[in-house]
């Protein structure tokens, strides 16, 4: 966690800004409760402060000395905003959990398409990107921010998605080499009825095509949807730790990419088996 120098406007000074919503925000921040804030609460305060500042600066009742002080504070807050964002992303429990594999995998069949989580995460990332790009003109909605954080905080399924993808990728990497031996084990080189080969054909149809493949497609679709905001989130951090987390999940050699590759190899190995054993590819039945 980065150390950030604190700079406070006195409570007396904030009361003199009672004509601005910013004055109330400053007073709340300088209260006994406001002084004890974690990284998430501190970032929300910084974003809300900068979003309320322009209207207070332009207010007719704001005098020249107050404007001077507010502009001084504004420059300081803009200079430290990226540090606050880094601390929020890397230390907040909710943010860390969304890139950390859970102990348990997703239930099958899948009961979510991660749309709510994806929308919430995208809102958080878009808000942060907009703040970094135009800190002097921030549009921040604390209600929507809290609602998005609540969605992410209540969801265990993002963590379960990563655990599922890791486990599936490991499973395929162990099973795929064995499929190359199926035609030999099923004695497909011999002429006549090959009961063992037909049993394997049924396994392919009932387990892989009808059950596993549709689930994997949904897992990978969710990963593709979450990839842009998660990679953008990583770029808002300093150092390599957070980037390493996301690369392990979604990078060019991340778990999702490896699962895509292993799934394709799995299907290709089955095709070789069917060709050698002179079996047709099984059809999926509803």
């Amino acid at each position: 966690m980065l150390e950030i120098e604190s700079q406070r406007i006195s409570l007396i000074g904030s009361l003199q800004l009672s004509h601005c919503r910013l004055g109330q925000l400053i007073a709340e921040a300088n209260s006994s409760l406001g002084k004890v804030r974690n990284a998430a609460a501190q970032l929300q305060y910084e974003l809300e402060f900068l979003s309320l500042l322009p209207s207070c600066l332009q207010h007719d009742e704001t005098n020249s000395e107050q404007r001077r002080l507010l502009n001084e504070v504004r420059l300081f807050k803009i200079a430290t905003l990226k540090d606050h964002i880094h601390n929020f992303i890397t230390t907040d429990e909710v943010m860390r959990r969304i890139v950390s594999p859970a102990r348990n995998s997703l239930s099958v069949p899948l009961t979510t398409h991660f749309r709510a989580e994806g929308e919430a995460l995208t809102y958080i990332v878009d808000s942060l990107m907009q703040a970094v790009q135009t800190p002097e003109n921030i549009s921040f909605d604390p209600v929507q921010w809290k609602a998005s954080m609540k969605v992410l905080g209540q969801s265990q399924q993002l963590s379960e998605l990563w655990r599922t993808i890791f486990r599936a990728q490991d499973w395929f990497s162990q099973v795929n080499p064995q499929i190359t031996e199926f035609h030999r084990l099923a004695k497909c080189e011999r002429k006549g009825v090959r009961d063992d080969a037909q049993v394997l054909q049924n396994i392919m149809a009932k387990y892989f095509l009808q059950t596993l493949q549709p689930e994997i497609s949904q897992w990978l679709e969710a990963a593709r949807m979450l990839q842009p905001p998660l990679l953008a989130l990583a770029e808002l951090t300093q150092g390599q730790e957070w980037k390493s987390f996301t690369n392990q999940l979604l990078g060019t050699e991340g778990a999702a990419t490896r699962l895509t590759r292993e799934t394709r190899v799995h299907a290709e190995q089955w095709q070789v088996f069917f060709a050698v054993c002179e079996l047709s590819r099984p059809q999926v039945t509803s």
Side-chain angles (χ1 to χ4, degrees):
M1 183 170 179
L2 301 176
E3 291 292 333
I4 304 173
E5 179 187 355
S6 63
Q7 185 184 62
R8 294 187 179 279
I9 300 176
S10 69
L11 183 59
I12 295 176
S14 71
L15 291 176
Q16 294 175 354
L17 294 172
S18 58
H19 56 279
C20 300
R21 171 68 183 89
L22 181 60
Q24 181 183 345
L25 180 70
I26 296 170
E28 292 170 354
N30 284 332
S31 68
S32 57
L33 291 176
K35 291 179 181 178
V36 183
R37 292 192 294 268
N38 59 22
Q42 184 64 43
L43 175 61
Q44 182 177 331
Y45 170 72
E46 300 295 319
L47 294 174
E48 195 166 0
F49 185 104
L50 287 170
S51 70
L52 294 173
L53 182 58
S55 62
C56 194
L57 283 170
Q58 296 168 10
H59 199 286
D60 292 341
E61 295 183 37
T62 303
N63 61 46
S64 59
E65 178 59 21
Q66 289 170 333
R67 288 193 177 93
R68 184 196 66 78
L69 176 60
L70 289 174
N71 274 313
E72 181 182 324
V73 174
R74 178 180 66 85
L75 293 175
F76 175 81
K77 289 191 175 299
I78 289 176
T80 58
L81 182 59
K82 290 182 179 180
D83 291 346
H84 285 293
I85 291 174
H86 169 87
N87 285 347
F88 161 67
I89 296 172
T90 59
T91 67
D92 182 70
E93 180 181 350
V94 172
M95 302 309 291
R96 291 185 69 87
R97 191 170 69 240
I98 64 176
V99 295
S100 301
R103 181 173 300 177
N104 299 319
S105 300
L106 289 165
S107 59
V108 177
L110 194 64
T111 57
T112 179
H113 295 288
F114 299 96
R115 290 192 182 92
E117 292 90 342
E119 290 173 359
L121 182 60
T122 298
Y123 177 82
I124 295 295
V125 173
D126 287 350
S127 296
L128 297 177
M129 293 291 291
Q130 191 264 333
V132 168
Q133 292 167 0
T134 56
E136 68 286 345
N137 187 32
I138 291 176
S139 177
F140 180 70
D141 183 351
V143 175
Q144 185 61 41
W145 176 274
K146 290 179 181 178
S148 297
M149 288 298 295
K150 183 178 181 180
V151 169
L152 295 175
Q154 291 179 340
S155 174
Q156 295 289 333
Q157 292 173 320
L158 286 178
S159 295
E160 292 175 351
L161 172 66
W162 308 132
R163 176 56 64 199
T164 302
I165 288 176
F166 272 113
R167 285 177 175 170
Q169 184 268 317
D170 287 341
W171 183 85
F172 275 112
S173 66
Q174 295 175 43
V175 169
N176 283 346
Q178 300 177 35
I179 300 179
T180 59
E181 296 295 312
F182 279 4
H183 66 86
R184 183 181 62 81
L185 295 173
K187 300 179 176 61
C188 289
E189 291 80 1
R190 299 181 182 179
K191 298 297 182 181
V193 178
R194 296 174 293 277
D195 292 339
D196 290 343
Q198 290 174 346
V199 168
L200 290 171
Q201 182 187 40
N202 292 334
I203 291 175
M204 168 63 166
K206 293 181 179 179
Y207 181 64
F208 182 70
L209 291 180
Q210 294 184 11
T211 303
L212 191 55
Q213 193 174 55
E215 291 292 320
I216 293 173
S217 296
Q218 293 184 70
W219 303 338
L220 293 175
E221 178 60 30
R224 283 190 290 270
M225 176 187 68
L226 296 165
Q227 183 181 45
L230 284 176
L231 292 181
L233 200 67
E235 290 302 314
L236 291 169
T237 65
Q238 302 173 40
Q240 294 300 314
E241 180 183 12
W242 198 263
K243 297 177 179 66
S244 177
F245 286 156
T246 53
N247 282 333
Q248 289 176 28
L249 301 175
L250 300 164
T252 54
E253 287 300 319
T257 302
R258 295 198 306 272
L259 177 58
T260 301
R261 184 168 59 241
E262 293 289 353
T263 304
R264 183 174 61 251
V265 169
H266 189 78
E268 291 171 351
Q269 295 285 15
W270 276 111
Q271 292 302 322
V272 173
F273 167 73
F274 295 143
V276 172
C277 294
E278 299 180 353
L279 295 168
S280 61
R281 185 178 189 273
Q283 300 298 312
V284 179
T285 58
S286 57

